[in-house]
Amino acid sequence: MKSFNVNYNDVTEMIDVNYAFQITKELAGFEFRLAGTEAENKAADWIVEQMEKVGLKNVTKEGFPVDAWNFHRASVEILNPDNENLKMDAVTMIPMEGTAEEGIEGEVVYVGYGTKKEYEGKDVKDKIVLMETSAFTSYWYQVVFNQAEARGAKGIILTVYGVGPGTYKDDLLTIQDLEGECSIPAAMISKGNGEKLIGLLKEKSIKANIKINASVDRDATGHFVYGLIPGRRKDKYLLLNGHYDAYWQGFQDNAASLGCELAIAKAVMESGYEPECTWIIISNGAEEFGTINSYFDWMVGAMAIAEHHPEWVANCMLFNNFELSGLSQNKKMKFACSESYMKYLDKIMNDEIKLPKEQFPEGHIIKPLFTGSDHFVLSLAGAPSLLYDPASIELEDNPDQFLHYYHTSYDNEKTAEMNFFENNCKIECALCMIFDKLPMSPFDFSKDIEGVMSGIVGSEYIESIYPNYTKFCSKMEEYRVNTENLYNKIGEVIDAVKETVDLDTNEETMSEIYDMAWNENVKLLQINKEMCERLYKVDGFHEHMVAHKQAYEYVDGIERALADLRKNKAEDGVDALLGVGHNYLVEEFDEYVYKMALKPFLAEEYPRNWAEGRIMPHSDMYDVLKSIIDKRELKTSDYALEIVQLEKFLNFQKDVLCDSLNEELELFGKINRDIKLVNVDSVIERISEVLKK
């Protein structure tokens, strides 16, 4: 039957990479299409037109509130005493506001990498500081900017060094997300101009004028656009998504996603393929930025999708997130995936997808989810998610690595790798079709508890402080057995359905089997949703974790520090505690910087962000740690007061840890009960009846 028995190669061969490239190129023409801006609104209207031209049904543009960052231009002018002024192009960090029209003028003081040590012996009050930064190897922008604020600087000039964004060529400008608050203007200049300015400062004292034309509209509207390919079932969804907002042209990040999505949609519809799921092709703004003065200010567009359409999330076979679709820079094809889907995705990649050897000689690799892309928000909402993730952190090994020109004007059509662009469209199309025809979601829920059990099960220390330890370990083991059995039964259903399809079973019977399987699968999706909503939290570096992990790290670090101090020492244990949360800042920065970094975790949670409700309690330990560090430097051995203070923090974090473990205990107990209500056996029995005929 055409609707159930189809070779995906018949569809993928119809993909038109030239069409994908043209769509990408035209979208890239809407430069600086950041959420809520005029360029973003025009881009959204253009996407509506393209979706309608392809033939998608019910094409819709939906709005949601954002803070729109409008950047126009910026400059740094070096005011030499000999009147040979030097004017440099510049940008600023999103979402920083601009200066007055005349700019700000002041003496320039070089402060290296921007730590407090670099300020020693330097008076920067009411002056402009010059610092070197890297998005991947130095402290994040908000941290070093707040240090400049703390020392009374009136402005900041920054440049780049080493590897990472903006280092690809000497003339590149790069914009990154501040992820916080800063009250003084900051201008980013190119690597080449930065080296020139540092050289000038070695010769003489100089002044500079910073001018920035940028503003934030706190009452703007961002958008996402979507259209449908109707499936046999109207209430079962397969979502294809990519963000369209970008700095400069953003060809790879992320116009190419739309090119890939629409090329797939076009091929699917022109082939006559009849999907089982209703496919929803989505393109959204506000991935790069959407909310001012928040540590969690991106992925606002994905949050809007999940909030506006909970029915998509609740009935989703797969949320396939497209990023950097025309880029291949690794020997392995890399995916990030919901933990519960990793096992089956690996099976698909091994058994069904043929990767181009010339591009991926070492095959594929599948990693767990990470923050930084829209798949994460949808996964936490309960939609099993997948992301092709070509970016590599091995920057030194590849001078042409994308991350060297990430968020720069060099992300343009010249970066397109046409052979791979075509192959990736085909691979993504095949994956969508394979998941489309699965009768049940291939959940391996046992993967989700690996992080729960790590460091807890078998720990004598946890056993000594957690009253429900024995019950917890027993419940984890019960969960492990139940979920492994469930995964095997789902596999039986999937294999048996393939067998019935191969036997050319009539469409009416196949529809009955699929509907029966989906009725049980809705229960699985509800289990997954509850798991994602209740188990996963966000740590101090906006990475996801199981709920108790952060408290466990605090408890472990404090205990080790106390063991040191009770011996009148401040050695490895104290260093371990300095590595917990944002405590590392105590050694390198002023108190103001530490307080600003901790603000999102101690104050009221910022509105309109995807981390709301997921932030675990942190402890403000600046005073006690600063006291320990000062005494260590003075070789003082009396830590009695610090011990008392640390014991208070320890008791607080112990309570957080035990409360978190109790919540997990309750969650997994409920899931154990809910799994028993999923009647996969009835589906297996019905398929067996069909196969016997």
Side-chain angles (χ1 to χ4, degrees), residues 8-9 11-13 15 260 264 318 320 322 325 328 333-335 345 348-349 352-360 363-364 386 388 419-435:
Y8 63 73
N9 288 321
V11 179
T12 60
E13 288 305 313
I15 284 175
C260 192
I264 290 171
L318 178 70
N320 194 356
F322 292 69
S325 295
S328 166
M333 188 168 194
K334 293 167 52 184
F335 292 98
L345 178 61
I348 290 173
M349 296 304 299
E352 301 192 52
I353 302 293
K354 293 182 179 179
L355 294 176
K357 290 286 187 182
E358 69 279 7
Q359 285 160 348
F360 301 110
H364 70 276
L386 170 66
Y388 165 62
N419 287 340
F420 173 72
F421 201 1
E422 181 175 14
N423 285 332
N424 195 28
C425 289
K426 291 179 178 180
I427 292 166
E428 295 283 8
C429 182
L431 284 170
C432 288
M433 292 178 69
I434 289 168
F435 276 97

Side-chain angles (χ1 to χ4, degrees), residues 494-507:
I494 292 172
D495 291 342
V497 164
K498 287 181 180 178
E499 190 175 348
T500 57
V501 168
D502 290 342
L503 290 174
D504 257 354
T505 304
N506 68 71
E507 189 162 349

Side-chain angles (χ1 to χ4, degrees), residues 475-490:
K475 197 64 66 177
M476 290 299 98
E477 178 59 21
E478 179 186 354
Y479 176 90
R480 184 189 65 78
V481 172
N482 287 341
T483 54
E484 286 181 358
N485 289 338
L486 176 64
Y487 179 77
N488 291 333
K489 286 185 178 182
I490 293 171

Side-chain angles (χ1 to χ4, degrees), residues 115-156:
T115 64
K116 69 179 180 182
K117 184 178 180 180
E118 302 274 6
Y119 285 81
E120 290 180 3
K122 299 173 183 176
D123 176 16
V124 303
K125 185 171 176 55
D126 294 325
K127 298 177 183 177
I128 295 171
V129 295
L130 167 66
M131 62 180 68
E132 296 181 82
T133 60
S134 168
F136 299 119
T137 59
S138 69
Y139 293 104
W140 195 251
Y141 303 96
Q142 184 203 348
V143 172
V144 291
F145 287 10
N146 290 159
Q147 181 64 42
E149 280 185 291
R151 293 302 175 96
K154 67 190 299 185
I156 300 165

Side-chain angles (χ1 to χ4, degrees), residues 309-320:
H309 293 283
E311 75 282 5
W312 295 353
V313 177
N315 298 281
C316 179
M317 177 60 76
L318 178 70
F319 178 83
N320 194 356

Side-chain angles (χ1 to χ4, degrees), residues 339-351:
E339 277 85 341
S340 56
Y341 263 26
M342 289 175 69
K343 190 171 184 178
Y344 198 79
L345 178 61
D346 187 57
K347 175 179 170 60
I348 290 173
M349 296 304 299
N350 284 325
D351 298 347

Side-chain angles (χ1 to χ4, degrees), residues 376-495:
F376 184 75
V377 171
L378 271 293
S379 179
L380 289 186
S385 301
L386 170 66
L387 170 75
Y388 165 62
D389 174 35
S392 171
I393 61 171
E394 298 167 353
L395 299 177
E396 292 86 351
D397 297 337
N398 182 1
D400 293 323
Q401 164 60 237
F402 173 75
L403 290 180
H404 293 308
Y405 52 86
Y406 169 67
H407 287 186
T408 77
S409 59
Y410 271 60
D411 182 6
N412 54 44
E413 64 183 271
K414 294 179 182 178
T415 67
E417 302 174 43
M418 294 300 287
N419 287 340
F420 173 72
F421 201 1
E422 181 175 14
N423 285 332
N424 195 28
C425 289
K426 291 179 178 180
I427 292 166
E428 295 283 8
C429 182
L431 284 170
C432 288
M433 292 178 69
I434 289 168
F435 276 97
D436 176 64
K437 284 298 186 282
L438 291 179
M440 300 188 77
S441 302
F443 285 124
D444 173 23
F445 289 129
S446 66
K447 185 72 176 174
D448 288 286
I449 64 163
E450 289 181 2
V452 177
M453 298 175 70
S454 175
I456 300 297
V457 176
S459 168
E460 293 182 3
Y461 178 77
I462 297 297
E463 185 175 9
S464 71
I465 67 169
Y466 179 45
N468 292 323
Y469 178 79
T470 301
K471 185 178 180 181
F472 184 91
C473 293
S474 174
K475 197 64 66 177
M476 290 299 98
E477 178 59 21
E478 179 186 354
Y479 176 90
R480 184 189 65 78
V481 172
N482 287 341
T483 54
E484 286 181 358
N485 289 338
L486 176 64
Y487 179 77
N488 291 333
K489 286 185 178 182
I490 293 171
E492 285 185 51
V493 171
I494 292 172
D495 291 342

